[in-house]
Amino acid sequence: MSDEDDLDDFEPDQDDLEKEDDEKDTEDWEDNRKEGEEYSEERMPTPLTEDMMKEALSLLCKTGNGLAHAYVKLEVKERDLTDISLLRSYIHLRYVDVSENHLTDLSPLNHLTHLLWLKADGNRLRSARLNELPYLQIASFAYNQITDTEGISHPRLGSLDLKGNHIRLVTDLDPQKLISLHTLELRGNQLESTLGINLPKLKNLYLEIKDAGSQT
């Protein structure tokens, strides 16, 4: 069975993937974010290394025609990482957790075309922009410094978490591309209106409008 067959049939169990503490205390996250934003000194680069990869990889699965195997899950939380360029060569990864680091760039993930699940909370991202990832179904970019919703166009994306960022306006959430999105989390931003949210499959929308104090 090919990778594509496996991914077509896959329905991720979010409880299994985030069983440790996905519902992390909001106050702790906000304190960490403020501390990061106030930190003005130049941080020493901390790239992801092969040694880190050896410790962080898990879940051995078949790849390609079923004759080869590769680890498909990576968890590198709280490593002070500033660079994940090494991931360009780990093309079989399906589950990636790079949360609680110091990342400003996720572009190496553009090479992970089998990616199903991504958690990048608590970094220094200013954008959630990635190339279209055909199998990505769950993505979380909570508690970063993201200012817009552009560059999110994954056709199988079902759940998108952008809470705790700096988003004022929702733009470029194309209903022709985000045809599977059913859950959108936008609380803790600086939203001025709900304009730009017009998604055909959306069932769960969480947001607050700036100054109005209203919540959906």
Side-chain angles (χ1 to χ4, degrees):
M1 182 177 289
S2 68
D3 277 358
E4 287 72 15
D5 290 336
D6 288 343
L7 297 172
D8 282 339
D9 296 336
F10 183 80
E11 293 184 6
D13 187 329
Q14 200 162 2
D15 290 336
D16 288 343
L17 292 170
E18 302 178 357
K19 49 185 163 183
E20 59 271 346
D21 57 351
D22 189 47
E23 294 279 329
K24 206 153 195 179
D25 185 74
T26 300
E27 291 183 3
D28 289 345
W29 272 110
E30 290 179 346
D31 289 344
N32 290 339
R33 185 180 67 171
K34 288 177 182 176
E35 181 179 320
E37 290 173 356
E38 292 169 359
Y39 183 73
S40 58
E41 296 180 15
E42 187 71 22
R43 175 172 291 277
M44 290 293 291
T46 307
L48 181 63
T49 66
E50 292 286 0
D51 286 341
M52 291 182 190
M53 293 294 293
K54 291 176 183 177
E55 297 175 0
L57 286 168
S58 63
L59 195 57
L60 190 65
C61 290
K62 292 180 180 179
T63 64
N65 60 8
L67 300 177
H69 292 77
Y71 289 106
V72 299
K73 184 176 181 180
L74 175 72
E75 183 179 306
V76 282
K77 298 166 53 177
E78 299 179 311
R79 300 294 187 95
D80 291 330
L81 294 175
T82 59
D83 184 349
I84 54 171
S85 296
L86 184 61
L87 292 186
R88 297 173 189 271
S89 59
Y90 285 81
I91 59 173
H92 295 296
L93 284 173
R94 300 180 188 178
Y95 315 100
V96 171
D97 186 346
V98 291
S99 54
E100 300 175 67
N101 285 291
H102 304 284
L103 300 174
T104 59
D105 177 27
L106 295 181
S107 61
L109 300 181
N110 289 328
H111 297 261
L112 308 186
T113 56
H114 293 149
L115 193 63
L116 295 165
W117 183 90
L118 170 63
K119 188 172 183 180
D121 299 354
N123 281 283
R124 299 184 180 183
L125 302 172
R126 296 188 178 276
S127 173
R129 180 183 295 276
L130 287 168
N131 292 349
E132 183 177 303
L133 296 171
Y135 299 108
L136 185 63
Q137 298 177 34
I138 297 173
S140 183
F141 305 95
Y143 304 106
N144 278 279
Q145 300 170 30
I146 295 170
T147 58
D148 60 54
T149 56
E150 298 186 2
I152 303 171
S153 59
H154 317 294
R156 299 193 185 192
L157 187 64
S159 177
L160 174 62
D161 191 343
L162 290 165
K163 67 175 171 281
N165 281 286
H166 303 316
I167 299 167
R168 293 181 179 276
L169 298 173
V170 176
T171 57
D172 200 35
L173 290 186
D174 189 343
Q176 302 299 316
K177 294 180 179 178
L178 293 171
I179 56 176
S180 303
L181 192 64
H182 57 73
T183 300
L184 177 59
E185 169 65 86
L186 286 165
R187 284 176 290 193
N189 282 282
Q190 301 169 25
L191 288 175
E192 298 173 356
S193 78
T194 58
L195 293 175
I197 303 175
N198 180 27
L199 300 161
K201 296 289 183 68
L202 196 63
K203 295 180 179 179
N204 306 302
L205 173 62
Y206 306 97
L207 57 79
E208 299 164 348
I209 302 300
K210 184 181 178 182
D211 296 330
S214 62
Q215 180 174 316
T216 302

Coordinates of all heavy atoms in Angstrom, one line a residue, residues 20 22 27 29 78 86 99 106 135 141 158 164 206:
E20 N -0.9 14.6 26.3 CA -0.2 15.1 27.5 C -0.9 16.3 28.1 O -1.5 16.1 29.1 CB 1.3 15.5 27.2 CG 1.5 16.5 26.1 CD 1.6 15.9 24.7 OE1 1.8 14.6 24.6 OE2 1.6 16.6 23.7
D22 N -2.7 19.2 26.1 CA -3.0 20.1 24.9 C -3.8 21.3 25.4 O -3.6 22.4 24.8 CB -3.9 19.3 23.9 CG -4.1 20.1 22.7 OD1 -3.1 20.6 22.2 OD2 -5.2 20.2 22.2
E27 N -3.0 31.4 30.9 CA -2.2 32.4 31.6 C -0.7 32.1 31.4 O 0.1 33.0 31.2 CB -2.6 32.5 33.0 CG -4.0 33.1 33.2 CD -4.4 33.3 34.7 OE1 -3.5 33.0 35.5 OE2 -5.5 33.7 35.0
W29 N 0.8 30.5 29.0 CA 1.2 30.7 27.7 C 1.4 32.2 27.4 O 2.3 32.7 26.8 CB 0.1 30.2 26.7 CG 0.2 28.8 26.3 CD1 -0.5 27.8 26.7 CD2 1.2 28.2 25.4 NE1 -0.1 26.6 26.1 CE2 1.0 26.9 25.3 CE3 2.3 28.8 24.7 CZ2 1.8 26.0 24.6 CZ3 3.1 27.9 24.0 CH2 2.8 26.6 23.9
E78 N 10.3 22.6 23.5 CA 11.1 23.2 24.5 C 12.6 22.9 24.3 O 13.3 22.5 25.2 CB 10.6 22.8 25.9 CG 9.2 23.2 26.2 CD 8.7 22.7 27.5 OE1 8.9 21.5 27.8 OE2 8.2 23.5 28.3
L86 N 16.9 21.3 9.0 CA 17.2 19.9 8.8 C 16.0 19.1 8.4 O 16.1 18.1 7.7 CB 17.8 19.4 10.1 CG 18.2 17.9 10.2 CD1 19.4 17.7 9.2 CD2 18.7 17.5 11.6
S99 N 6.5 23.0 19.1 CA 6.0 24.1 20.0 C 7.0 24.4 21.1 O 8.0 23.7 21.4 CB 4.7 23.6 20.6 OG 4.8 22.4 21.3
L106 N 8.9 28.6 9.3 CA 8.5 27.2 9.2 C 8.7 26.7 7.8 O 8.2 25.6 7.4 CB 7.1 27.1 9.6 CG 6.7 27.3 11.1 CD1 5.2 27.1 11.3 CD2 7.5 26.4 12.0
Y135 N -2.2 16.8 2.6 CA -2.8 16.0 3.5 C -2.9 16.6 4.9 O -3.5 15.9 5.8 CB -2.0 14.7 3.6 CG -1.9 13.9 2.3 CD1 -0.7 13.9 1.6 CD2 -3.0 13.2 1.9 CE1 -0.7 13.2 0.4 CE2 -3.0 12.5 0.7 CZ -1.8 12.5 -0.1 OH -1.7 11.8 -1.3
F141 N -1.1 27.1 15.6 CA -0.1 28.1 15.6 C -0.4 29.1 16.8 O -0.1 30.3 16.7 CB -0.1 28.9 14.3 CG 0.1 28.1 13.1 CD1 -1.0 27.7 12.3 CD2 1.4 27.7 12.6 CE1 -0.8 26.9 11.2 CE2 1.5 27.0 11.5 CZ 0.4 26.5 10.7
G158 N -8.8 20.5 8.6 CA -10.1 20.5 9.3 C -10.2 21.4 10.5 O -11.2 21.9 10.8
G164 N -4.5 33.6 20.5 CA -3.4 34.3 21.2 C -2.3 34.9 20.3 O -1.1 34.9 20.6
Y206 N -14.5 30.1 17.1 CA -14.3 30.7 18.4 C -13.5 32.0 18.2 O -12.4 32.0 17.6 CB -13.5 29.8 19.3 CG -14.1 28.4 19.4 CD1 -13.7 27.4 18.6 CD2 -15.1 28.2 20.4 CE1 -14.2 26.1 18.7 CE2 -15.7 26.9 20.5 CZ -15.2 25.9 19.7 OH -15.8 24.6 19.8

